[in-house]
Structures are given as structure tokens and as C-alpha cells.
Amino acid sequence: MVMFANLIKNVPFFEGYEQDEIQSVKPLFKKRKYSRGTLLFMEGDAGEECYVIETGLVKIYRIDESREITLALLDDGDYFGEMAMMQKGLTRSATAEVVEPSVIYSLNRRDFVHFMETNPKMCLKLLEETMERLRKANDQIYDLTFLDLKSRLVKAIIRLADEKGIEVEGGTQIPFKLTHQQLANMVGSIRESVSKLLQELQDEKIVTIKNKLITLHRQNL
């Protein structure tokens, strides 16, 4: 089990806070367990809470003309939902769904805003992180617009390996199971096309897949 202080201090806008400062905000967070398939919020909902994942896996996605587009897969130590809390009245721009049983801390908007008002350094950290997320969103838009499907798939795997991967013998493994449909939703395609390309990538020894766990072999790119 991850200690609260170790979990929170890895959230970028709490970076640099002392142990006693982090402990002072602990009572503001609510800890809950969620089962697979739980919707934490939906696109268009009021943004009243932000979340930090202790354990589990959460999918952030949008529905575009009846097709699901996965924007992010978040696991242990990740946070989300803070952008809609920046201004009162803003609504969620995407849906958050629990993919695997998860333990998640939540912080409501009122307490979040009060803490920002009394801790100016958090505002700068939050701005920096918001700009980084905007940059990543622009990268995703570029990929979907200008790259072919194979390039998008390889780039998505590299991004997951960079952000979440653990080093194993011969490569970097994404530490959670991914279905072909989930990958298809990430790259704006259909499952059949992604399945075919994944086989190509395995034949080219760029990836290996075992029990739905993907290992990236960068030396073969």
C-alpha cells in the first residue's frame, strides 16, 4: 500500500511540499474503492472533484460520432480531473471510467481552491502542468491528423512505455493489460486493423505480447 504522503508528493502541483504540508491536506481527501466499469464522471458533468489514483487503472475518453476515442490510460500515482475545477461552472471535457478495480483519492473543488489561495506556489505548478497537458493534446491531434495508422500505433506504444513502462529483459514493458480494442480506441481505428498491425510489429520484433502485456524493443525500431 502506498503511503499518502508518497502518493501526493508525486503529483506535480504538490511537488516540493514538505511532509507536514502534505499531511495537512490529507483530511481534505476522500479515499474510495471502485469496481471495474464505474463511471467517475461523464463528459458534460460539472467539474467538482479532482482525483489521485492509489492503485488501479482509469480510462479517459470521449465519444465522437458513436466511436470511442481514448485520450489517456492512468494508473498508480496519476491524477486527473483538475482542469474542470480551475473555473467555477466549467464542465468535464471527457469521461473517466474505471478499467480495473481501483483505490482513488478525491478532493472537492471548494477545498482545492481554498488550498490554492493559501499556497501561491501551487498556482504556478498547476499552470506548468496544464501547459504540458495541452502540449500532449496537441501532439495527439497532430498524430490523428497526419500520421498513418501504423505510425500512430507505434507512437502510442512508445508513449505508454515512456510514461508507464518498467524495464525488463530485452525491453520496456507496459505494466497493465491492453486489449486490441483499447489500443484501437487510442489511435482512432478499428480493432481488426490494429490486430493486424500488432502482428506485423511482433513479426518485426518491435514488440512482444504475452498475456496482453506489451513489451517494446526500442533497439528494433
Side-chain angles (χ1 to χ4, degrees), residues 185-201:
N185 292 344
M186 292 181 69
V187 297
S189 185
I190 60 174
R191 180 182 56 80
E192 291 79 5
S193 297
V194 166
S195 297
K196 180 180 178 181
L197 285 173
L198 285 172
Q199 186 57 57
E200 284 186 22
L201 294 177

Side-chain angles (χ1 to χ4, degrees), residues 101-115:
S102 301
V103 178
I104 300 175
Y105 285 93
S106 63
L107 176 66
N108 71 44
R109 183 181 185 278
R110 182 186 65 253
D111 292 332
F112 183 79
V113 170
H114 176 72
F115 192 77

Side-chain angles (χ1 to χ4, degrees), residues 82-127:
E82 81 290 349
M83 294 188 70
M85 296 172 58
M86 299 292 291
Q87 181 178 338
K88 188 174 183 180
L90 289 183
T91 58
R92 301 294 189 187
S93 60
T95 297
E97 180 181 341
V98 176
V99 178
E100 295 178 358
S102 301
V103 178
I104 300 175
Y105 285 93
S106 63
L107 176 66
N108 71 44
R109 183 181 185 278
R110 182 186 65 253
D111 292 332
F112 183 79
V113 170
H114 176 72
F115 192 77
M116 282 199 300
E117 289 173 344
T118 56
N119 293 268
K121 63 183 178 180
M122 174 180 278
C123 297
L124 181 58
K125 288 285 186 181
L126 191 56
L127 178 60

Side-chain angles (χ1 to χ4, degrees), residues 5-216:
N6 292 334
L7 178 70
I8 295 302
K9 73 180 182 181
N10 289 323
V11 175
F13 47 84
F14 281 103
E15 185 180 339
Y17 280 73
E18 299 297 330
Q19 186 85 2
D20 58 339
E21 292 178 296
I22 292 176
Q23 287 300 327
S24 71
V25 303
K26 184 175 181 179
L28 304 180
F29 283 84
K30 295 180 180 179
K31 182 178 180 180
R32 299 185 181 95
K33 295 181 179 180
Y34 296 94
S35 58
R36 179 180 180 181
T38 300
L39 293 177
L40 298 171
F41 54 78
M42 296 182 66
E43 184 176 350
D45 286 351
E48 294 299 329
E49 290 181 301
C50 66
Y51 303 84
V52 183
I53 303 171
E54 182 178 271
T55 59
L57 186 65
V58 173
K59 173 176 64 175
I60 309 296
Y61 67 93
R62 299 189 69 174
I63 301 296
D64 180 28
E65 296 180 352
S66 300
R67 186 179 67 179
E68 180 182 309
I69 303 295
T70 299
L71 304 175
L73 289 171
L74 307 174
D75 65 347
D76 304 5
D78 284 330
Y79 71 98
F80 60 98
E82 81 290 349
M83 294 188 70
M85 296 172 58
M86 299 292 291
Q87 181 178 338
K88 188 174 183 180
L90 289 183
T91 58
R92 301 294 189 187
S93 60
T95 297
E97 180 181 341
V98 176
V99 178
E100 295 178 358
S102 301
V103 178
I104 300 175
Y105 285 93
S106 63
L107 176 66
N108 71 44
R109 183 181 185 278
R110 182 186 65 253
D111 292 332
F112 183 79
V113 170
H114 176 72
F115 192 77
M116 282 199 300
E117 289 173 344
T118 56
N119 293 268
K121 63 183 178 180
M122 174 180 278
C123 297
L124 181 58
K125 288 285 186 181
L126 191 56
L127 178 60
E128 291 173 350
E129 187 62 19
T130 300
M131 295 304 294
E132 176 62 17
R133 292 204 173 193
L134 179 60
R135 184 192 65 78
K136 290 180 179 179
N138 287 337
D139 286 346
Q140 284 183 298
I141 292 170
Y142 177 90
D143 292 350
L144 289 170
T145 304
F146 296 108
L147 298 184
D148 61 42
L149 179 56
K150 186 173 183 180
S151 298
R152 298 202 305 270
L153 181 59
V154 170
K155 194 167 182 179
I157 291 171
I158 291 173
R159 184 172 64 249
L160 286 171
D162 287 343
E163 294 177 355
K164 311 292 184 185
I166 56 175
E167 296 304 312
V168 297
E169 185 176 354
T172 306
Q173 186 176 83
I174 299 169
F176 44 78
K177 295 181 178 181
L178 286 166
T179 66
H180 292 190
Q181 185 61 59
Q182 287 171 330
L183 283 167
N185 292 344
M186 292 181 69
V187 297
S189 185
I190 60 174
R191 180 182 56 80
E192 291 79 5
S193 297
V194 166
S195 297
K196 180 180 178 181
L197 285 173
L198 285 172
Q199 186 57 57
E200 284 186 22
L201 294 177
Q202 289 185 90
D203 293 342
E204 295 167 4
K205 302 188 185 305
I206 293 173
V207 301
T208 55
I209 304 174
K210 186 175 182 180
N211 296 326
K212 297 182 182 178
L213 291 173
I214 298 175
T215 300
L216 173 67

